[in-house]
Amino acid sequence: MVRSVLEEMRIRSLGVIDDAVVELSPGFTAVTGETGAGKTMVVTSLGLLLGGRADPALVRIGAKSAVVEGRISVPAGGAAAVRAEEAGAELDDGTLLISRTVSAEGRSRAHLGGRSVPIGMLSELADELVAVHGQTDQQGLLRPARQREALDRYAGGAVTGPHAKYVAAYRRLRAVSVELDELTTRARERAQEADLLRYGLNEIAGVEPRPGEDVELAAEAERLGHAEALASAASVAHGALAGNPEDPEGVDATTLVAGAGRALDAVRSHDPALAALADRMGEISILLGDVAGELAGYADNLDADPLRLAAVEERRAALTALTRKYGGTGEGVTAVLAWSEAGAERLTELDGDDDRIGELTAERDALRGELSGLAQALTDARTEAAARFAEAVTAELASLAMPHARVSFDIRQTEDPEGVEVGGRPVAYGPSGVDEVELLLAPHPGAPPRPIAKGASGGELSRVMLAVEVVFAGTDPVPTYLFDEVDAGVGGKAAVEIGRRLAKLAKSAQVVVVTHLPQVAAFADRQLLVEKTNDGSVTRSGVTVLEGEDRVRELSRMLAGQEDSQTARAHAEELLATARADG
């Protein structure tokens, strides 16, 4: 299967490195050098390429910025290639170029396949390309929470399936519980609100306002208040139009207009223009008659009853009182009716709280039951995976000169009266289930299993962590692994076995190891030496690929601190021969 390979990195002005190129093997590359030579800058550089935090303190003194460039071959159609192309990156014959620049002021820029991209894009690609395992990662794996995550990652679909269902049920239970708590803890406030709404709705219902009633009553009150003046004006106007029976000699408008009409009708046949005026005069006569009739009816029907006026004013006062209380920023009765409608809806909602509380309580109980079943499924899946994982790590430890060590998992739950029922008892639960997971080590027969942080020495802990990483590598799709001195505290035969295991791992993945152990470096397909110049910097010539006699000399230095020691040289040659024989 074609996999991604980190082929080369160029590092400029980073820490002690002035300008250097690191050429990596597709198999096992060991990076060696004296303490302080800059080996860890390889790890730091790769971290920057993978979207790690940019620290301006890493920029070499006197330089404006540090630059790290990487060349990675990625298979066409692979997840990394697809994601890079989606981001606009261009691949050069299956090669992806990544660069990261960090200025002395702290600004950071990233480029992917010739295109500027957010730093977060590099982090996304990191999950598909490289896994970094260093001493910091070891310390992280000492925490039970990280050990549970590691076990879940190893278990794969057996855990991720029920875990996804568990998380969905857990989140819904949290939401239901929050709403239920709100309804029950605020019951008094909501009851008071309901009482106020009922009072207001009853008050409005007692008055029974009609839409537009306040406008109609205002007009009626105006009319009733001026009834006498209105009647007198209508009477005078009627007399002017139709005449006053009590004054037979009086002249009225209807009579005058009728006379004018007759005069025009007498001669209308002689001139069409005058005939048109005669017609209009007839229309005026008809209109005057209609207005005169309506004036007579208005005067007869005008209600001047003071009792009616008092009733209207009383009704208006009642409507005004409602408007002041419930009108808000609206207009009159219209706003009161709007408040009444909204209040009735809110009261229905509040009155339904008891029903809602019942529904939520039933849903909560059902979700707790569902969560119990899913938590049990998670526990069962983790228990099964833990047995396989522990067996695989124990087998790896046998290959790392710890043949009698045994690794196991302690999967336990904490009782909690408020928890969910699992295994017939209530236990505490959280977003990851009910299990507390801890990796245990019994380093030799008869020793009780203890947490690895307490049960292993420094060298044993390094081997346990390496065994864990090797087991993970068998299930992890990441094609490149970088180990930063995970062999610290190990020596002798155990170091040889570590080198042998890393070489075996390199048959299925690219492995880069920063190491100080010659036993580990001897198993590498390629060994890189990092050296400082006299001024304390690492230049382009300071990172070299060791071959033949040069590699023997470096291994001799790592063995005895002396490149020319004949005993060390013999030992170095023996290590190389052993590694070649294993290969």
Side-chain angles (χ1 to χ4, degrees):
M1 181 181 68
V2 180
R3 53 183 170 83
S4 299
V5 175
L6 177 61
E7 298 177 342
E8 180 183 277
M9 284 195 303
R10 183 178 182 185
I11 309 166
R12 287 177 288 175
S13 302
L14 185 71
V16 299
I17 298 180
D18 179 27
D19 188 350
V21 175
V22 180
E23 298 178 1
L24 303 171
S25 164
F28 180 5
T29 300
V31 181
T32 64
E34 294 186 0
T35 301
K39 301 188 298 298
T40 57
M41 285 298 103
V42 175
V43 181
T44 301
S45 300
L46 188 54
L48 288 173
L49 284 182
L50 301 178
R53 187 179 67 86
D55 185 355
L58 294 173
V59 179
R60 185 169 172 76
I61 297 175
K64 294 182 178 180
S65 61
V67 181
V68 181
E69 299 171 323
R71 187 174 74 239
I72 302 177
S73 65
V74 292
V82 171
R83 189 68 189 93
E85 289 174 342
E86 287 176 350
E90 295 183 2
L91 273 66
D92 183 9
D93 194 22
T95 298
L96 180 63
L97 300 179
I98 304 176
S99 71
R100 180 81 179 275
T101 302
V102 180
S103 72
E105 292 79 23
R107 293 188 301 274
S108 179
R109 298 194 307 275
H111 288 81
L112 183 67
R115 295 291 298 273
S116 178
V117 295
I119 305 299
M121 175 58 63
L122 302 187
S123 299
E124 290 183 30
L125 285 178
D127 294 336
E128 306 291 341
L129 296 174
V130 182
V132 179
H133 301 298
Q135 294 187 51
T136 301
D137 301 277
Q138 287 189 27
Q139 297 303 315
L141 277 172
L142 296 182
R143 299 196 301 270
R146 284 288 302 276
Q147 291 171 12
R148 185 190 61 227
E149 293 172 6
L151 177 60
D152 289 353
R153 178 175 137 211
Y154 176 81
V159 164
T160 55
H163 186 258
K165 296 178 181 178
Y166 175 93
V167 169
Y170 176 82
R171 289 175 177 170
R172 178 57 188 163
L173 177 59
R174 290 292 299 273
V176 167
S177 298
V178 168
E179 186 177 354
L180 191 57
D181 287 345
E182 180 184 358
L183 287 176
T184 53
T185 57
R186 294 184 55 200
R188 178 176 298 178
E189 296 176 20
R190 298 167 79 88
Q192 291 174 345
E193 182 184 356
D195 286 344
L196 290 174
L197 285 172
R198 287 192 187 91
Y199 178 84
L201 291 172
N202 289 335
E203 188 173 13
I204 294 172
V207 176
E208 295 184 348
R210 293 182 292 101
E213 183 181 4
D214 51 342
V215 176
E216 296 173 4
L217 289 174
E220 185 178 359
E222 183 73 13
R223 185 171 61 254
L224 290 171
H226 299 83
E228 292 184 5
L230 292 172
S232 176
S235 178
V236 171
H238 179 269
L241 293 178
N244 188 346
E246 296 179 0
D247 184 13
E249 301 298 326
V251 180
D252 58 83
T254 301
T255 301
L256 292 174
V257 169
R262 287 193 296 274
L264 294 175
D265 283 339
V267 294
R268 63 181 299 154
S269 60
H270 302 302
D271 186 352
L274 193 63
L277 291 174
D279 291 338
R280 291 173 63 187
M281 188 63 69
E283 294 172 0
I284 292 173
S285 181
I286 294 172
L287 182 59
L288 284 175
D290 291 342
V291 172
E294 291 183 16
L295 286 171
Y298 175 83
D300 292 340
N301 295 327
L302 187 61
D303 186 2
D305 184 0
L307 294 178
R308 173 57 187 167
L309 177 59
V312 168
E313 292 295 352
E314 182 179 354
R315 179 67 176 173
R316 290 185 68 199
L319 294 178
T320 301
L322 290 181
T323 302
R324 281 198 301 267
K325 287 185 178 181
Y326 310 108
T329 59
E331 293 295 332
V333 170
T334 300
V336 171
L337 293 173
W339 184 93
S340 178
E341 182 179 356
E345 292 179 0
R346 175 60 176 163
L347 184 59
T348 300
E349 179 184 334
L350 292 172
D351 287 341
D353 277 354
D354 289 341
D355 295 337
R356 181 60 177 159
I357 288 174
E359 293 172 0
L360 289 173
T361 301
E363 184 179 2
R364 181 197 62 189
D365 294 343
L367 284 169
R368 288 175 67 87
E370 181 183 355
L371 216 59
S372 295
L374 291 171
Q376 184 65 65
L378 269 178
T379 299
D380 293 343
R382 284 172 175 153
T383 302
E384 189 277 331
R388 290 188 291 109
F389 186 43
E391 182 180 355
V393 173
T394 298
E396 287 297 329
L397 288 177
S399 300
L400 294 173
M402 293 179 66
H404 303 297
R406 293 291 179 269
V407 168
S408 61
F409 275 97
D410 178 20
I411 300 178
R412 59 187 182 275
Q413 298 81 35
T414 300
E415 288 199 25
D416 181 355
E418 301 298 323
V420 298
E421 186 170 314
V422 176
R425 61 193 180 106
V427 297
Y429 65 100
S432 296
V434 299
D435 303 316
E436 298 173 32
V437 176
E438 193 162 26
L439 187 61
L440 307 179
L441 172 69
H444 53 80
R450 301 181 63 195
I452 56 174
K454 300 176 181 178
S457 64
E460 289 172 338
L461 181 59
S462 294
R463 279 177 278 174
V464 172
M465 290 296 98
L466 179 57
V468 169
E469 300 297 357
V470 170
V471 171
F472 274 149
T475 59
D476 198 321
V478 177
T480 298
Y481 297 89
L482 175 60
F483 294 94
D484 180 18
E485 297 196 24
V486 292
D487 50 15
V490 178
K493 183 179 179 181
V496 173
E497 295 301 332
I498 288 176
R500 184 174 281 119
R501 296 306 297 152
L502 289 170
K504 181 179 179 181
L505 176 60
K507 295 184 182 299
S508 58
Q510 182 182 30
V511 176
V512 181
V513 178
V514 177
T515 182
H516 65 283
L517 292 180
Q519 296 93 333
V520 173
F523 280 87
D525 300 308
R526 172 173 292 177
Q527 184 173 347
L528 300 179
L529 174 63
V530 180
E531 290 182 299
K532 288 183 180 180
T533 60
N534 292 332
D535 65 358
S537 68
V538 177
T539 63
R540 182 179 288 269
S541 61
V543 181
T544 56
V545 178
L546 298 179
E547 296 178 347
E549 179 63 22
D550 292 335
R551 189 171 186 185
V552 173
R553 285 174 58 83
E554 171 62 8
L555 290 176
S556 298
R557 181 200 64 77
M558 296 172 71
L559 282 164
Q562 303 175 21
E563 295 92 336
D564 298 324
S565 167
Q566 292 303 314
T567 302
R569 286 178 58 83
H571 192 183
E573 290 173 349
E574 182 182 358
L575 283 175
L576 288 171
T578 299
R580 283 194 290 268
D582 282 2

